[in-house]
Amino acid sequence: MRTVFLDIETKNTFQEVGSSDPAALDISLLVIYDSQLNDYVSFQPEEFNKLWNILEHTDSIVGYNSDYFDIPLLNKYYPGDLTKIKSVDLMQEIKKSVGKRLPLDAVAAGTLGINKGGKGIDAVIWYRQGELEKIRTYCQQDVKITKELYEFALQNKFLRYKFFNEVTQVPIDTSNWETIEKTAINLTMPW
């Protein structure tokens, strides 16, 4: 099974664009971990033609808040419909269990004992300062955390989150995560 883990950083904020619609934002950088390549790869918008071939041949896209944020925003750039590809949104999986959306940092701290290397607004600032490598490092760390949380949940059927030094365990139903579904997707042209 080919799985692509992804995270996106933007050039701007919801406040700046005057909308809560992720598609109103602009992507500065996207990082994936491709299980087939066994590697992390980053893409700027002008390189997305290389990304489409990977996504069109994946069995599942995994992210954190990806069904609400990453996939709708990336769909703005894609000539087809990425929502036709199976996705696992870890934030939504946690919400099914506890009834609320939890930040990635709280889940990483509770489950893996690590914290994120910053906040999304940092990536916007770094973009304006031309510090692409800082964005790449930060974004890749988020993808790595997401991948490790996914793998932990698959093996243990739970995740944990940490608030105010209290750790709470959350049961996670992973029963359909590794199933391959046929998808109807518009493929991009080879040129």
Side-chain angles (χ1 to χ4, degrees), residues 115-185:
N115 292 97
K116 288 174 32 113
K119 297 181 176 159
I121 190 66
D122 295 334
V124 174
I125 294 166
W126 294 329
Y127 173 76
R128 292 180 183 154
Q129 295 171 343
E131 301 193 62
L132 188 63
E133 284 310 308
K134 283 187 179 180
I135 299 170
R136 191 181 328 275
T137 299
Y138 168 73
C139 192
Q140 184 171 317
Q141 181 190 22
D142 278 2
V143 174
K144 184 175 189 276
I145 289 170
T146 301
K147 178 182 176 292
E148 289 177 8
L149 290 173
Y150 179 90
E151 291 167 347
F152 184 95
L154 268 179
Q155 182 175 353
N156 299 288
K157 309 301 183 228
F158 69 86
L159 292 170
R160 298 183 195 105
Y161 66 93
K162 183 177 182 179
F163 280 130
F164 304 110
N165 293 323
E166 183 178 326
V167 177
T168 305
Q169 188 165 301
V170 178
I172 302 292
D173 178 9
T174 63
S175 59
N176 70 341
W177 286 12
E178 295 282 299
T179 60
I180 297 176
E181 300 172 1
K182 297 262 185 199
T183 58
I185 185 163

Side-chain angles (χ1 to χ4, degrees), residues 13-25 68:
T13 66
F14 287 120
Q15 185 177 11
E16 291 170 338
V17 298
S19 173
S20 61
D21 179 4
L25 299 171
Y68 167 75

Side-chain angles (χ1 to χ4, degrees), residues 3-133:
T3 304
V4 171
F5 300 81
L6 64 78
D7 187 52
I8 291 174
E9 301 308 327
T10 64
K11 298 177 181 179
N12 41 22
T13 66
F14 287 120
Q15 185 177 11
E16 291 170 338
V17 298
S19 173
S20 61
D21 179 4
L25 299 171
D26 298 303
I27 297 174
S28 62
L29 186 78
L30 175 143
V31 173
I32 66 166
Y33 174 85
D34 181 349
S35 67
Q36 182 172 305
L37 300 174
N38 191 29
D39 200 9
Y40 294 89
V41 185
S42 65
F43 301 90
Q44 292 177 274
E46 58 272 16
E47 301 167 309
F48 284 170
N49 60 326
K50 299 173 195 170
L51 173 65
W52 304 146
N53 188 48
I54 294 169
L55 293 180
E56 290 170 352
H57 293 93
T58 189
D59 297 305
S60 181
I61 297 172
V62 178
Y64 200 90
N65 197 29
S66 52
D67 286 350
Y68 167 75
F69 184 80
D70 302 84
I71 293 172
L73 175 52
L74 190 56
N75 229 4
K76 170 175 122 173
Y77 294 81
Y78 182 64
D81 184 2
L82 295 171
T83 64
K84 302 292 185 189
I85 301 172
K86 177 182 177 177
S87 71
V88 176
D89 182 337
L90 293 180
M91 179 184 268
Q92 290 303 323
E93 296 297 321
I94 293 167
K95 184 179 177 190
K96 286 178 195 174
S97 190
V98 297
K100 59 185 173 183
R101 297 161 41 106
L102 298 174
L104 178 59
D105 200 42
V107 180
T111 305
L112 306 172
I114 60 175
N115 292 97
K116 288 174 32 113
K119 297 181 176 159
I121 190 66
D122 295 334
V124 174
I125 294 166
W126 294 329
Y127 173 76
R128 292 180 183 154
Q129 295 171 343
E131 301 193 62
L132 188 63
E133 284 310 308

